[in-house]
Amino acid sequence: MPVKTPSLPLSTEFFTDNLWGTLPCSWQEALDGLNPPQLAAQLLGMPGEGEVVRYRSVWPLTLLALKSTAYALAFTRTPGFQTPSEFLENPSQSSRLTAPFRKHVRPKKQHEIRRLGELVKKLSDLTGCTQVVDIGSGQGHLSRFMSLGLGLTVKSIEGDRRLVERAQRLDRELLQALEKEEKRSPQVTRAGPRHSPHHVVRWVEPTALCEELLLPLEPLPPCGARLLLTGLHACGDLSVALLRHFSCPEVVALASVGCCYMKLSEPGGYPLSQWVAGLRGSELPYRLREGACHALEDYAERLQRAGPGLRTHCYRAALETVIRGARPELRRPGVQGIPRVHELKIEEYVQRGLRRVGLDPQLPLNLAALRAHQAQENRVVAFFSLALLLAPLVETLILLDRLLCLQEQGFHAELLPIFSPELSPRNLVLVATKSPLGEAFSLLETEDS
């Protein structure tokens, strides 16, 4: 069946490309004048707590159909557990991790390493894995929890030497903290000796096998090495590299959480499966992939609060008109975050933005045009929200492609939502094995008691 991926420009070119004018007139009438909380409730389907959704007019069937289709075709992002109860007592500290494992770790990462680590432990037990390989391990928070918290044998691979050196320092700190904890509670006994992760400085290329990744840390058992590959938000093509290594005979299981889809190479990183490659219109240009990285739940919450920070969309779009006027060939340049945008007049924002992209901040400005742009702030936010409605569909296509790539090779694979999307928007883990797990797949995402 042919598919046509939607065009997903966000808001930067709202004025330069007359994006509002590209919408059907009936859509413009439905969306024009909606305030941010109404956009969250009516368009994104995420009303505030206790809010009753009321439409001020009858929406066109085409817009309602798009909204319903976007929800129906996207993978579910709702985990099989309630809002993370681990942060009810203290929003900064997970009650499911002991203090030594929380040190230097933000709440979002605490939630992620605990949830993914526990899933990897279950998957390791189910598949008889002898070693876990954490690819793109960064500062080693996940590796440390899996090895020193869950007793797994872990090799930690990271290309940035500075991050590896910091990870090793944190390993030593954690070991010392755990030893002090044991001395304070001598009645607590552990099952065996503790082993820190084995850190390796190595870049993993997406198109070539990495021999270091496949080497065992310990003497091989009679059955040989049985490796489990994992990556927590392995960036861009690094997640693709995990899939390529899964075909190696030493690898028996995979648990991969991807991110940074805009950094995927095309072709090479997408499409991977024959099925998606055969779809007409399935190309994913940069703007589509970048849009898929936005946090839908977080943005809906921003809309509900209707904070002045939403003004950034309109200001940035107005800045783009000035940039194009000065240098037509300079399109969508990166503008590093300008602080306290809501306190700036639009012309002040434009002047600071010009300086950040290397243009003269004293360029003459058409203040009347800028004021006219500012008057359309709600339209810019509405268009951005409409584009964001489609973002989960793009992520679904990318992850479906990876899932089908594994299944086409005869492997067993599932996508499971394991993180709270409010805490961690990229919350789907691709789990794969070479032997069928049956109903055990569904048990992997459940919370430990």
Side-chain angles (χ1 to χ4, degrees):
M1 174 183 175
V3 299
K4 181 66 177 174
T5 49
S7 176
L8 189 65
L10 297 184
S11 56
T12 299
E13 294 161 314
F14 184 85
F15 299 118
T16 58
D17 292 10
N18 186 27
L19 294 181
W20 187 255
T22 65
L23 299 179
C25 292
S26 59
W27 291 26
Q28 294 179 26
E29 293 172 5
L31 299 175
D32 202 8
L34 293 182
N35 61 36
Q38 289 171 329
L39 288 169
Q42 298 175 29
L43 183 61
L44 299 185
M46 297 182 180
E49 188 174 351
E51 179 184 354
V52 178
V53 179
R54 292 187 176 90
Y55 293 82
R56 64 179 185 181
S57 63
V58 178
W59 279 21
L61 288 177
T62 50
L63 181 55
L64 291 172
L66 176 72
K67 176 182 170 182
S68 298
T69 302
Y71 292 146
L73 294 184
F75 284 131
T76 178
R77 294 160 51 77
T78 305
F81 60 92
Q82 301 299 317
T83 302
S85 57
E86 60 195 299
F87 294 106
L88 289 180
E89 296 177 7
N90 187 327
S92 299
Q93 298 180 359
S94 169
S95 60
R96 306 294 294 273
L97 289 176
T98 58
F101 287 101
R102 296 195 301 256
K103 190 175 182 181
H104 304 297
V105 184
R106 294 180 178 178
K108 173 180 180 290
K109 183 71 76 173
Q110 292 175 29
H111 177 63
E112 292 167 347
I113 65 173
R114 183 186 69 80
R115 290 285 294 152
L116 183 57
E118 290 174 353
L119 180 145
V120 167
K121 178 67 168 71
K122 294 174 187 176
L123 188 59
S124 175
D125 293 342
L126 287 168
T127 57
C129 153
T130 58
Q131 178 179 305
V132 175
V133 184
D134 181 10
I135 301 174
S137 54
Q139 298 183 57
H141 296 309
L142 175 63
S143 292
R144 218 165 5 262
F145 177 64
M146 292 191 296
S147 59
L148 296 173
L150 300 175
L152 295 168
T153 300
V154 179
K155 177 185 285 189
S156 178
I157 297 182
E158 168 58 48
D160 189 328
R161 181 174 295 278
R162 291 172 300 176
L163 291 178
V164 170
E165 291 171 352
R166 174 161 173 76
Q168 291 170 329
R169 288 199 300 273
L170 294 176
D171 289 351
R172 292 191 290 270
E173 278 187 30
L174 179 58
L175 278 170
Q176 293 171 357
L178 293 174
E179 288 171 1
K180 289 180 181 178
E181 204 173 59
E182 281 183 359
K183 290 177 181 178
R184 287 195 297 267
S185 306
Q187 70 277 10
V188 178
T189 58
R190 48 189 166 92
R194 289 196 178 96
H195 297 288
S196 296
H198 177 74
H199 295 279
V200 177
V201 182
R202 183 68 53 87
W203 289 105
V204 178
E205 299 294 336
T207 56
L209 292 182
C210 174
E211 293 185 5
E212 175 62 48
L213 186 152
L214 302 171
L215 291 177
L217 291 176
E218 300 176 346
L220 294 178
C223 61
R226 295 178 63 82
L227 305 180
L228 189 160
L229 307 184
T230 191
L232 174 53
H233 294 145
C235 185
D237 285 339
L238 192 55
S239 291
V240 177
L242 268 73
L243 271 64
R244 298 198 193 285
H245 284 81
F246 187 65
S247 60
C248 298
E250 301 93 332
V251 181
V252 297
L254 169 78
S256 170
V257 184
C259 75
C260 301
Y261 303 128
M262 65 283 196
K263 295 183 180 179
L264 286 171
S265 55
E266 194 179 7
Y270 170 90
L272 300 172
S273 68
Q274 296 177 17
W275 191 85
V276 171
L279 293 176
R280 181 161 48 88
S282 62
E283 298 83 5
L284 293 180
Y286 178 90
R287 284 193 298 183
L288 283 169
R289 290 179 275 122
E290 194 274 335
C293 296
H294 285 270
L296 186 62
E297 292 81 7
D298 176 70
Y299 191 71
E301 188 175 322
R302 288 179 60 194
L303 290 174
Q304 289 159 7
R305 293 197 303 265
L310 293 170
R311 187 168 301 155
T312 304
H313 298 309
C314 183
Y315 278 18
R316 178 63 185 87
L319 170 62
E320 188 73 8
T321 66
V322 180
I323 292 172
R324 299 279 181 95
R327 283 185 55 188
E329 74 282 5
L330 184 60
R331 293 172 175 266
R332 300 185 301 277
V335 179
Q336 297 299 321
I338 296 175
R340 309 186 75 82
V341 171
H342 60 282
E343 296 180 359
L344 301 176
K345 295 179 179 179
I346 191 168
E347 61 269 25
E348 293 173 334
Y349 174 90
V350 168
Q351 289 168 341
R352 295 188 187 188
L354 288 172
R355 182 180 293 109
R356 297 198 177 205
V357 300
L359 295 177
D360 182 3
Q362 300 305 317
L363 283 173
L365 301 178
N366 184 336
L367 293 181
L370 291 179
R371 297 278 185 271
H373 291 331
Q374 187 171 5
Q376 299 186 63
E377 181 178 320
N378 276 4
R379 285 184 176 181
V380 181
V381 173
F383 191 90
F384 185 89
S385 302
L386 182 62
L388 209 58
L389 175 69
L390 303 177
L393 285 178
V394 180
E395 181 176 36
T396 291
L397 182 57
I398 292 170
L399 297 181
L400 177 64
D401 176 53
R402 297 176 182 181
L403 177 76
L404 292 174
C405 172
L406 294 172
Q407 292 181 345
E408 287 172 354
Q409 298 174 68
F411 302 136
H412 306 271
E414 295 281 352
L415 278 159
L416 305 173
I418 61 163
F419 306 141
S420 166
E422 291 79 15
L423 278 173
S424 183
R426 308 279 72 76
N427 73 331
L428 290 160
V429 59
L430 177 59
V431 179
T433 61
K434 292 181 176 176
S435 300
L437 293 184
E439 294 182 359
F441 258 124
S442 61
L443 299 177
L444 292 173
E445 63 176 316
T446 59
E447 279 276 26
D448 289 345
S449 57

